[in-house]
Amino acid sequence: MPTATTSSSTSSTSLRVDIVPCLNDNYGYLIVDEARGQCAIVDASETKPVLDAIARVGLPLAAILSTHHHHDHVGGNAEVLAAHPKAIVYGHSSDQGRIPGLTHPLEDGATFELGSFSVTARHVPGHTLGAVTYVVSDGDGPAWAFTGDTLFVAGCGRLFEGTPAQMHRSLCGILAELPPDTRVACGHEYTAANLKFAAHVEPQNTHVAAKIAAVAALRAKGEPTVPGTIGEEREINPFLRVDVPAVRTHVGADASTDSSEVLRLLREEKNSFK
Ligand code: FE
Ligand code: ZN
């Protein structure tokens, strides 16, 4: 089980996140709060791996944080709740009726305490209309952004429900503006395929080339490529780089083209890119 902590301090309030691989290529994330003696799961994608991860840390489950209503992210909610009936469930208010067990509907900018940690929920429509990114901080080390299928390492989710303008605002107006050291913990292991597309869009981008080598080494060892960082995403992710001249040229846009139109063209090309 991969474990990542963001603070070298031995303070027991530091944020510990255990990656929980689910289904084929999904990631749930167990937020472990040793000081308060509880844990929380971001995306109970599948029952067994989530229950096993909770059992491994041996702490009661306080909450499920659902990033969006797709089955591969909430498919374990009901059974995880049956095993941990005191847990509460967060999700966007517009996803009431779509996120099983939702008890705490959220609006953009809502903040709440999760044991020792503070959470800000950002509404990031685009992939779905109720998509939420949870930004979790221990007030000391870097924050973690749990981005679901909105922002992937080196890519973004498909536009199933939202418009290109909504996705552009979610990615470039909200997520790219988080502090550069913010960890990007996304919902799928899509990094290698995303980087292949990024290199196709920007063949001269040396950050992309370096990342391709680093990711290949991780995957060869069977290790996850998450988390990334916001600072790195700004260098490698074409969907955060819609104002970079090389990216605009690639899709046939010019300086006067609306940025969300550049995003739309990129996303459309990626949909059929092999
Ligand atoms: Fe999804
Ligand atoms: Zn998904």
Side-chain angles (χ1 to χ4, degrees):
M1 180 63 48
T3 294
T5 52
T6 58
S7 173
S8 57
S9 130
T10 53
S11 153
S12 55
T13 56
S14 67
L15 185 47
R16 170 182 158 195
V17 178
D18 289 2
I19 300 168
V20 185
C22 293
L23 303 168
N24 281 337
D25 52 30
N26 277 77
Y27 289 131
Y29 297 93
L30 194 69
I31 299 170
V32 183
D33 185 349
E34 278 151 352
R36 206 63 72 84
Q38 62 176 48
C39 64
I41 183 75
V42 178
D43 283 351
S45 296
E46 185 186 10
T47 304
K48 188 173 187 308
V50 171
L51 290 181
D52 288 352
I54 296 167
R56 239 179 338 259
V57 303
L59 296 172
L61 183 73
I64 298 173
L65 284 64
S66 295
T67 60
H68 65 298
H69 75 282
H70 284 160
H71 187 75
D72 62 311
H73 298 261
V74 301
N77 278 26
E79 287 179 279
V80 169
L81 284 170
H84 298 274
K86 287 185 178 155
I88 60 177
V89 181
Y90 292 99
H92 191 254
S93 61
S94 68
D95 272 342
Q96 289 175 93
R98 303 208 293 182
I99 292 177
L102 181 64
T103 56
H104 287 57
L106 301 167
E107 303 294 341
D108 182 41
T111 60
F112 56 92
E113 279 174 18
L114 187 67
S116 308
F117 313 130
S118 61
V119 184
T120 301
R122 296 308 311 264
H123 182 212
V124 284
H127 177 65
T128 66
L129 289 176
V132 170
T133 287
Y134 298 94
V135 182
V136 181
S137 171
D138 63 9
D140 181 21
W144 283 64
F146 298 95
T147 58
D149 291 355
T150 302
L151 174 65
F152 294 126
V153 175
C156 75
R158 286 177 187 252
L159 301 182
F160 285 123
E161 296 180 354
T163 64
Q166 284 177 312
M167 191 59 138
H168 175 252
R169 178 170 187 277
S170 295
L171 291 174
C172 300
I174 296 177
L175 298 178
E177 295 300 316
L178 293 170
D181 65 354
T182 306
R183 273 40 179 173
V184 175
C186 59
H188 290 270
E189 181 59 64
Y190 289 164
T191 308
N194 288 340
L195 284 166
K196 192 176 170 197
F197 180 69
H200 168 72
V201 174
E202 287 189 273
Q204 312 296 336
N205 185 326
T206 55
H207 299 289
V208 170
K211 185 72 174 175
I212 285 173
V215 161
L218 283 172
R219 297 309 288 156
K221 291 185 282 180
E223 287 177 17
T225 65
V226 289
T229 67
I230 289 293
E232 186 178 55
E233 288 306 300
R234 293 175 60 108
E235 294 175 337
I236 65 172
N237 190 323
F239 297 94
L240 299 190
R241 296 171 59 78
V242 290
D243 293 328
V244 171
V247 174
R248 290 183 158 251
T249 303
H250 176 81
V251 295
D254 61 30
S256 69
T257 308
D258 193 76
S259 299
S260 52
E261 173 64 5
V262 177
L263 186 146
R264 186 188 72 77
L265 291 163
L266 273 180
R267 187 58 259 185
E268 208 159 272
E269 186 185 4
K270 173 73 166 66
N271 288 348
S272 55
F273 183 77
K274 292 259 190 298

